[in-house]
Amino acid sequence: HLSTLLYFSAQLDMTKLAVERVAGALAPIVYVWSLPFLATTGFAHLCDGWPKCYGTGPSISSFICTPQATGGLAATYFYPCLHMWLNAQEVNSRWSRWTLVGFQLFFGMFLLCPVTKRRMLHLFCVNNFCLMGLCHYASVISRCARRRFLRCLVMLLCGCASYILLFVLAVVAVLDPTWIHEHMPYCFFLAEAIGLSSMAVFPMLWFVEHPQVDDSCVFSFPLNSTERRDPEEPATYALHTLF
């Protein structure tokens, strides 16, 4: 009876962990994608000429230019940031730590410097926190558990694609400040939302390679199995299955 109780207690703990991770990943995603609606209620900021905002069109940087919207973004991204630090402890490499420090520094400055007050400094911080975050994810992905590797890689590639697209759109906005909001006003926001969503999901999916630990329940319900799995290959070998 004691072993049965311990088993169900462990299953319950794993279920709680799964629920916490799902909630921690969904909170920033739901918040970011709901910013256009929140802007119409007065919670978030509406640009002049909405929705044809000057330059890049509506953007997350513009939406969070109210105290409550800035606080909401900081609050919802607390859990992903926490897991980034926990994951970095598992990897324990200098590059992963310094890129994470850079990400946290520039992410904080991004929140501290509204685009309506300190535009150039804000844009500098946006570029650097995105770049540092992607570099950090790239530094830890090789230590990811094999069964999670492909999903984490997809999130990393989505973040990279969004970063490149945002850079291209920013260049277009500099060359022609009216083209984006005339032809595709929400394109910049969509690229930002996809990038930030993928960055929120990655640390929740990532698990370090532990051959004797069942990590199958983190984004799903735990498997009802007590079988001991064979050691898995390092995640770097999963690259051979992609190409």
Side-chain angles (χ1 to χ4, degrees):
H1 294 291
L2 179 60
S3 61
T4 302
L5 289 175
L6 291 175
Y7 171 78
F8 282 110
S9 176
Q11 294 290 303
L12 181 61
D13 290 341
M14 296 172 73
T15 302
K16 289 180 179 179
L17 176 62
V19 172
E20 288 176 0
R21 285 192 169 235
V22 171
L26 285 179
I29 295 174
V30 172
Y31 181 76
V32 165
W33 286 92
S34 64
L35 280 173
F37 168 75
L38 294 175
T40 62
T41 66
F43 181 88
H45 176 260
L46 278 179
C47 66
D48 295 333
W50 167 267
K52 295 184 177 181
C53 304
Y54 182 80
T56 60
S59 68
I60 293 175
S61 295
S62 176
F63 285 133
I64 65 169
C65 286
T66 63
Q68 59 271 20
T70 302
L73 190 68
T76 53
Y77 271 86
F78 167 78
Y79 206 63
C81 289
L82 171 64
H83 273 274
M84 290 174 71
W85 285 99
L86 295 176
N87 295 344
Q89 291 181 355
E90 295 283 352
V91 175
N92 194 28
S93 73
R94 181 176 300 178
W95 178 248
S96 65
R97 288 196 301 270
W98 281 110
T99 51
L100 182 53
V101 169
F103 166 82
Q104 199 74 70
L105 173 65
F106 287 113
F107 185 70
M109 292 180 64
F110 156 75
L111 297 174
L112 285 171
C113 305
V115 69
T116 55
K117 301 294 184 181
R118 296 288 186 271
R119 180 175 178 81
M120 295 309 298
L121 180 59
H122 178 88
L123 297 178
F124 174 78
C125 295
V126 169
N127 177 76
N128 283 282
F129 96 72
C130 292
L131 185 60
M132 289 293 102
L134 294 174
C135 288
H136 172 72
Y137 290 159
S139 71
V140 302
I141 195 169
S142 63
R143 296 288 304 278
C144 180
R146 184 170 64 91
R147 64 188 300 123
R148 298 297 178 82
F149 182 81
L150 292 180
R151 281 172 278 183
C152 288
L153 182 61
V154 169
M155 294 297 104
L156 178 58
L157 293 178
C158 285
C160 292
S162 298
Y163 178 80
I164 295 172
L165 178 58
L166 288 171
F167 180 81
V168 172
L169 292 174
V171 172
V172 172
V174 171
L175 298 176
D176 187 350
T178 63
W179 192 88
I180 292 179
H181 69 71
E182 289 291 343
H183 295 85
M184 46 179 65
Y186 286 98
C187 185
F188 196 86
F189 167 76
L190 292 176
E192 285 184 312
I194 292 172
L196 287 177
S197 297
S198 63
M199 293 184 74
V201 172
F202 184 99
M204 304 301 186
L205 284 176
W206 189 92
F207 252 75
V208 73
E209 184 71 32
H210 287 307
Q212 298 179 5
V213 175
D214 186 358
D215 60 7
S216 59
C217 68
V218 176
F219 261 125
S220 60
F221 291 102
L223 300 178
N224 295 323
S225 173
T226 58
E227 296 180 1
R228 183 174 178 177
R229 294 186 299 161
D230 294 331
E232 296 179 324
E233 300 174 1
T236 49
Y237 295 137
L239 285 171
H240 296 295
T241 67
L242 297 177
F243 306 103

